[in-house]
């Protein structure tokens, strides 16, 4: 993990947040390479979960929601962690994290556990009182439930159908850590899939989405042996859940949650109907009846997904007798698709290379680099996860071909400049 964290900082994937002020409680900023990777992971999710399907629609709801939302959803009451304080050093811990009766920092005596709500509070408007208190959303899902009637009334949807959104969520985690695995501000990618209120139907779609989501990680490069499914025990179920299975990843610090797939039943629609007085039911043409659908929810953290993709791609090997660090990211996720290099800084090669880079930039994120030996330039791109290297050499000036180098095999082939964009498109398998 240490090596990946260093690489992320060195190459501009992820910086510690507010670094010049000494950082701020597990916040992180995404740099030029990180933001490209993040966009590509989000795009990989959106295209598979929303755009390529007829039965899932997108939404982008506000982060600030009416405070009654959180009373209805149960988050005001239940979204808590039991906390204990050390009487001596005053440090605070999540009691579920502790294996001893005493403070793990100083050995001091601990208080009885108290419930601590994980939602961030703020005020809307100029008056700072309880009537103007609002919360930063701790999950994006509620934006979907409160828009249920809007979707049904405007989109001519038929069950089963899903509504998806991506966006920031906030949780005042007591023990953030492990880099971007657990932070207080993070991005989620969630989808609420509405089905008929029927156990067979619910089970079928639950199994379908567990399988679908597991395959998505494998499709975009995570090794199957580093993933596993873990059904929750009854006592660890969230307050809204009728059953949850986590997709876990083998992080360097052990197996941990990557994505959760939950059966939320009609809990949320029931509660919002009750609290708002609005009818959040669905009229079923087939059975000529009204009911509130049940929900199957795959919920993934974008930052956590990025971490897993980077960890799985991180490798060190030896190329031409030299050690290299390489991020074997799927070309579709890689921030930069190709590095373009003139072999020499003379004989018209830099100008030609710049032309090639400009041509490719119309379709792909490419970088141009003429500094240092060609070996070092390849290494720099290997470490950034760039899947292809395009080198302009003396032969290019004669026959308008370039060498195309593959990051993983390091093999090189000659390709005509005229065919280069098509060849890269083919190899990437998808242009972003
Ligand atoms: P955990 O048990 O790790 O706290 P959770 O079960 O509370 O997670 P969910 O509420 O199911 O998480 O959220 C769905 C997904 O959102 C998680 O699988 C994870 O990928 C992501 N996520 C949740 N909390 C955080 C966080 N603090 N930082 C980064 N990602 C998070």
């Amino acid at each position: 993990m240490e090596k990946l964290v260093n690489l992320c900082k060195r190459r501009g994937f992820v910086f510690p947040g507010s670094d010049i002020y000494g950082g701020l409680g597990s916040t992180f900023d995404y740099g030029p390479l990180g933001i490209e990777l993040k966009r590509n992971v989000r795009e990989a999710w959106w295209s598979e979960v929303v755009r390529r399907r007829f039965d899932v629609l997108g939404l982008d709801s506000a982060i600030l929601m009416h405070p009654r939302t959180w009373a209805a959803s149960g988050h005001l009451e239940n979204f808590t962690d039991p906390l204990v304080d050390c009487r001596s050093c005053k440090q605070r811990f999540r009691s579920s994290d502790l294996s001893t009766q005493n403070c793990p920092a100083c050995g001091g005596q601990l208080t009885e556990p108290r419930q601590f709500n994980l939602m961030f509070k703020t005020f809307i408007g100029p008056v700072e009182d309880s009537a103007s208190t609002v919360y930063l959303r701790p999950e994006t899902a509620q934006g979907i439930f409160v828009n249920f009637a809007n979707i049904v009334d405007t989109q001519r949807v038929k069950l089963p159908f899903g509504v998806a959104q991506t966006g920031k969520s906030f949780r005042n985690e007591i023990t953030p850590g492990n880099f971007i695995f657990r932070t207080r501000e993070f991005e989620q990618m969630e989808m609420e899939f509405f089905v008929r209120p029927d156990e067979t139907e619910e089970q079928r779609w639950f199994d379908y989405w567990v399988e679908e989501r597991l395959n998505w990680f494998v499709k975009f490069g995570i090794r199957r042996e580093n993933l596993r499914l873990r059904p929750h025990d009854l006592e660890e179920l969230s307050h809204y859940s009728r059953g949850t299975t986590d997709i876990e990843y083998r992080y360097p610090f052990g197996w941990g949650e990557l994505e959760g797939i939950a059966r939320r039943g009609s809990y949320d629609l029931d509660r919002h109907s009750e609290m708002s007085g609005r009818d959040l039911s669905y009229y079923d043409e087939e059975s000529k009846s009204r009911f509130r659908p049940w929900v199957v929810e795959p919920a993934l953290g974008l930052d956590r997904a990025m971490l897993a993709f980077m960890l799985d791609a991180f490798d060190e090997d030896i190329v031409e007798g030299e050690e290299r660090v390489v991020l074997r990211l799927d070309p579709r996720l890689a921030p930069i698709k190709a590095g373009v290099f003139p072999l020499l800084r003379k004989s018209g090669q830099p100008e030609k290379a710049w032309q090639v880079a400009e041509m490719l930039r119309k379709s792909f994120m490419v970088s141009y680099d003429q500094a240092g030996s060609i070996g070092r330039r390849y290494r720099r791109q290997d470490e950034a996860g760039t899947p292809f290297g395009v080198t302009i050499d003396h032969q290019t000036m004669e026959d308008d071909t370039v060498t195309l180098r593959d990051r993983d095999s390091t093999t090189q082939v000659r390709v005509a400049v005229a065919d280069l964009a098509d060849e890269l498109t083919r190899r990437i398998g998808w242009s972003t």
Side-chain angles (χ1 to χ4, degrees):
M1 186 79 139
E2 196 62 31
K3 283 181 181 171
L4 181 70
V5 176
N6 289 338
L7 170 68
C8 281
K9 179 152 192 209
R10 189 167 74 242
R11 296 310 312 268
F13 279 91
V14 184
F15 304 119
S18 311
D19 206 10
I20 60 168
Y21 291 105
L24 174 74
S26 268
T27 57
F28 292 93
D29 298 337
Y30 290 91
L33 292 189
I35 188 59
E36 292 296 330
L37 175 59
K38 201 174 187 187
R39 290 172 72 106
N40 293 342
V41 173
R42 195 193 293 110
E43 175 62 23
W45 186 87
W46 193 262
S47 76
E48 296 276 313
V49 175
V50 185
R51 201 174 301 123
R52 289 183 194 177
R53 303 184 61 101
F54 285 113
D55 56 356
V56 180
L57 304 167
L59 181 76
D60 185 18
S61 68
I63 287 175
L64 297 176
M65 300 179 71
H66 196 286
R68 284 168 69 90
T69 307
W70 308 112
S73 70
H75 283 82
L76 269 178
E77 196 182 332
N78 300 311
F79 197 55
T80 53
D81 267 348
L83 277 196
V84 292
D85 292 299
C86 173
R87 292 189 202 277
S88 319
C89 71
K90 309 291 178 213
Q91 283 198 61
R92 195 164 262 196
F93 305 93
R94 208 153 69 154
S95 51
S96 52
D97 288 346
L98 299 180
S99 50
T100 61
Q101 303 295 317
N102 292 76
C103 172
C106 75
Q109 212 189 8
L110 297 172
T111 60
E112 286 299 306
R114 285 180 302 119
Q115 293 300 326
F116 172 83
N117 197 291
L118 299 184
M119 284 195 291
F120 279 98
K121 266 189 213 175
T122 185
F123 301 100
I124 199 154
V127 183
E128 300 194 355
D129 62 11
S130 59
S132 62
T133 299
V134 291
Y135 302 89
L136 303 187
R137 68 180 176 199
E139 61 172 24
T140 60
Q142 295 307 324
I144 296 175
F145 296 124
V146 302
N147 276 287
F148 180 76
N150 287 336
I151 300 281
V152 170
D153 292 348
T154 61
Q155 303 298 313
R156 301 163 59 90
V157 282
K158 271 214 164 101
L159 286 180
F161 69 89
V163 181
Q165 77 167 326
T166 70
K168 287 266 169 119
S169 290
F170 302 82
R171 297 181 185 181
N172 198 4
E173 302 273 6
I174 324 303
T175 41
N178 288 322
F179 193 34
I180 54 174
F181 174 80
R182 189 186 302 285
T183 51
R184 297 191 169 108
E185 171 181 347
F186 55 98
E187 188 162 340
Q188 288 189 306
M189 308 196 286
E190 297 193 294
M191 197 269 285
E192 309 306 314
F193 198 75
F194 298 95
V195 303
R196 282 168 198 288
D198 169 89
E199 287 196 2
T200 320
E201 185 81 349
E202 180 196 40
Q203 189 64 45
R204 187 161 73 83
W205 284 106
F206 180 75
D207 294 344
Y208 169 87
W209 280 110
V210 169
E211 181 73 14
E212 192 72 7
R213 297 301 309 137
L214 189 66
N215 290 341
W216 180 84
F217 290 110
V218 175
K219 180 171 175 182
F220 286 95
I222 294 190
R223 278 160 288 190
R224 179 64 185 81
E225 66 265 29
N226 290 334
L227 295 166
R228 74 176 187 193
L229 297 176
R230 191 182 67 82
H232 282 206
D233 297 332
L234 277 182
E235 60 271 21
E236 68 174 310
L237 286 180
S238 316
H239 61 276
Y240 51 73
S241 176
R242 292 162 41 82
T244 297
T245 290
D246 284 346
I247 298 177
E248 293 194 331
Y249 180 71
R250 196 202 308 259
Y251 299 95
F253 49 87
W255 288 98
E257 176 171 343
L258 179 54
E259 167 156 5
I261 297 114
R263 299 189 295 147
R264 295 179 81 127
S266 61
Y267 176 86
D268 301 272
L269 291 180
D270 290 348
R271 298 276 300 191
H272 287 301
S273 296
E274 214 177 287
M275 288 286 274
S276 68
R278 286 283 296 273
D279 177 14
L280 301 182
S281 64
Y282 168 89
Y283 181 72
D284 183 40
E285 294 284 351
E286 235 170 81
S287 61
K288 306 274 181 248
S289 63
R290 275 199 170 274
F291 51 78
R292 283 192 284 271
W294 288 2
V295 169
V296 172
E297 175 203 68
L300 171 63
L302 174 51
D303 316 73
R304 218 178 261 191
M306 265 181 79
L307 177 63
F309 281 119
M310 286 194 290
L311 284 167
D312 226 72
F314 188 93
D315 197 12
E316 290 166 312
D317 65 1
I318 293 178
V319 170
E320 289 145 18
E322 248 188 78
E323 263 186 42
R324 71 164 177 171
V325 171
V326 52
L327 272 191
R328 300 186 192 279
L329 290 169
D330 184 290
R332 291 168 294 188
L333 300 186
I336 300 168
K337 307 303 179 195
V340 181
F341 320 110
L343 184 64
L344 303 175
R345 286 170 80 166
K346 58 180 189 185
S347 317
Q349 290 182 19
E351 292 76 12
K352 179 68 184 173
W354 187 250
Q355 263 178 21
V356 170
E358 278 193 323
M359 171 192 82
L360 294 178
R361 204 173 254 284
K362 292 189 182 125
S363 322
F364 317 101
M365 192 73 192
V366 296
S367 85
Y368 174 89
D369 186 3
Q370 60 174 31
S373 76
I374 192 71
R376 278 194 49 199
R377 284 180 272 167
Y378 285 151
R379 296 301 103 79
R380 271 205 287 271
Q381 291 302 323
D382 289 342
E383 169 173 272
T386 308
F388 306 108
V390 171
T391 306
I392 279 71
D393 56 15
H394 67 276
Q395 196 181 325
T396 312
M397 311 313 284
E398 286 161 17
D399 65 5
D400 217 29
T401 63
V402 294
T403 65
L404 180 59
R405 172 186 181 268
D406 180 90
R407 173 197 68 202
D408 296 334
S409 63
T410 71
T411 53
Q412 303 191 15
V413 290
R414 283 209 90 83
V415 177
V417 169
D419 301 333
L420 191 56
D422 284 347
E423 180 59 20
L424 283 175
T425 303
R426 196 181 63 71
R427 290 189 184 212
I428 294 166
W430 164 26
S431 58
T432 51

